[in-house]
Amino acid sequence: MFTDGRYGNRDILDLQIIDFVSSTPLMKMDYANTSSLEMASSRVYAMGAGTRRIAWDGEKTATLTVETQIFSLEHLAILAGEEIKRGKQNVYKTEILQVGVGNTVTLKKVPVGDVVVFPFVNGLSVKENQTHTVSDKTITIGAGATVQPGDEVEVYYQTEVAQASKLSFTAKGFPKYVKLVGDTIWIDETSTEEVGSQMVFYKAKIQPNFTISNSAEGDPSTLTLVFDLFPAKVEGVDTLIDLIVYDDQD
């Protein structure tokens, strides 16, 4: 028979993210490094003869903060409040190439749209677009150009990739409401057995602020996800969170 015990916890929170309106699962993340639940409320007092006599509680708030160094476009789409678009996409490229015999250079990819060719001297681009023609991956430098065979040029262009995923951060896109389900393991001090612990956050909205850093040194970038939690009607009661501890042994 399952009985409550004294528990310890040293495990991550596996999180399911579910669309609040449609109840469609959006994603599961079982690779977060940390998560923390913070609850707060205000309290005011009636004073009498210099001491507190009566207390009133209210304005309860709750937030769930999750930190992960593994993330996907799905995380960013939830932050952006936008859909991921998949298919063909133009991407920007630059290449530094040496002009060959016949005043030609060969790109790695087939360009689309405008191509800009700058002389590349002493590690810097000289902002003088060279006259040129484009045929497939080959660029032929025109007769009026200043570069000669053996010189270097820096080429700016776009190319089409057949398969890509694109997420747009728009001026009017903001996160939608979601439902969260978090699972972890607690250890019973007396029996030393594992018990399941599940928290259901019935209504949440992620804060749109985030930072992704890029660095060649130090720790990998950490993405911090902060969810504001809201009450939802559960069996007629405004409920922020349900905590369920249960026997998870097979």
Side-chain angles (χ1 to χ4, degrees):
M1 182 179 70
F2 178 76
T3 58
D4 292 335
R6 299 187 303 195
Y7 304 116
N9 170 39
R10 192 176 183 271
D11 209 336
I12 63 172
L13 189 71
D14 294 344
L15 197 64
Q16 300 177 52
I17 303 178
I18 302 165
D19 186 273
F20 178 76
V21 175
S22 67
S23 296
T24 302
L26 299 177
M27 65 178 300
K28 176 185 177 182
M29 52 183 303
D30 56 1
Y31 39 79
N33 290 332
T34 65
S35 64
S36 59
L37 172 64
E38 180 179 350
M39 301 192 69
S41 63
S42 65
R43 175 171 289 175
V44 295
Y45 304 92
M47 306 293 291
T51 61
R52 296 173 177 175
R53 298 301 183 97
I54 305 173
W56 286 268
D57 293 322
E59 299 174 340
K60 183 176 287 187
T61 61
T63 56
L64 177 69
T65 302
V66 180
E67 291 190 341
T68 178
Q69 291 180 323
I70 305 295
F71 58 89
S72 68
L73 276 184
E74 291 179 320
H75 291 92
L76 302 182
I78 292 171
L79 285 161
E82 301 288 351
E83 299 293 329
I84 301 170
K85 298 178 181 179
R86 295 180 171 87
K88 295 179 180 180
Q89 180 64 40
N90 288 350
V91 296
Y92 290 88
K93 295 285 186 179
T94 64
E95 294 185 43
I96 298 173
L97 303 167
Q98 188 176 65
V99 180
V101 177
N103 273 8
T104 63
V105 294
T106 302
L107 301 174
K108 294 179 180 178
K109 304 289 184 179
V110 177
V112 295
D114 294 335
V115 176
V116 175
V117 181
F118 287 149
F120 192 73
V121 181
N122 292 330
L124 297 173
S125 290
V126 179
K127 303 304 185 291
E128 298 174 356
N129 192 13
Q130 305 294 287
T131 58
H132 61 272
T133 58
V134 180
S135 177
D136 196 51
K137 297 180 182 179
T138 301
I139 296 177
T140 302
I141 308 299
T146 59
V147 296
Q148 303 294 326
D151 293 342
E152 287 188 320
V153 293
E154 187 166 32
V155 184
Y156 293 80
Y157 66 100
Q158 291 186 69
T159 188
E160 183 182 84
V161 293
Q163 298 182 15
S165 298
K166 183 177 77 171
L167 175 63
S168 297
F169 291 84
T170 65
K172 296 185 178 181
F174 292 99
K176 301 176 182 178
Y177 287 98
V178 294
K179 177 181 179 179
L180 306 173
V181 179
D183 287 285
T184 190
I185 297 296
W186 291 357
I187 302 296
D188 187 294
E189 179 189 23
T190 303
S191 69
T192 70
E193 297 290 339
E194 294 182 350
V195 298
S197 171
Q198 184 172 92
M199 287 185 284
V200 182
F201 310 92
Y202 289 99
K203 187 178 183 181
K205 193 173 189 182
I206 196 169
Q207 295 181 8
N209 309 322
F210 71 96
T211 300
I212 296 179
S213 59
N214 296 279
S215 175
E217 299 178 345
D219 293 333
S221 177
T222 296
L223 179 64
T224 301
L225 310 173
V226 182
F227 294 91
D228 291 318
L229 306 178
F230 300 88
K233 290 288 185 183
V234 180
E235 298 179 353
V237 179
D238 286 334
T239 305
L240 284 165
I241 307 163
D242 270 341
L243 172 61
I244 304 165
V245 181
Y246 60 97
D247 184 0
D248 198 28
Q249 302 298 317
D250 293 331

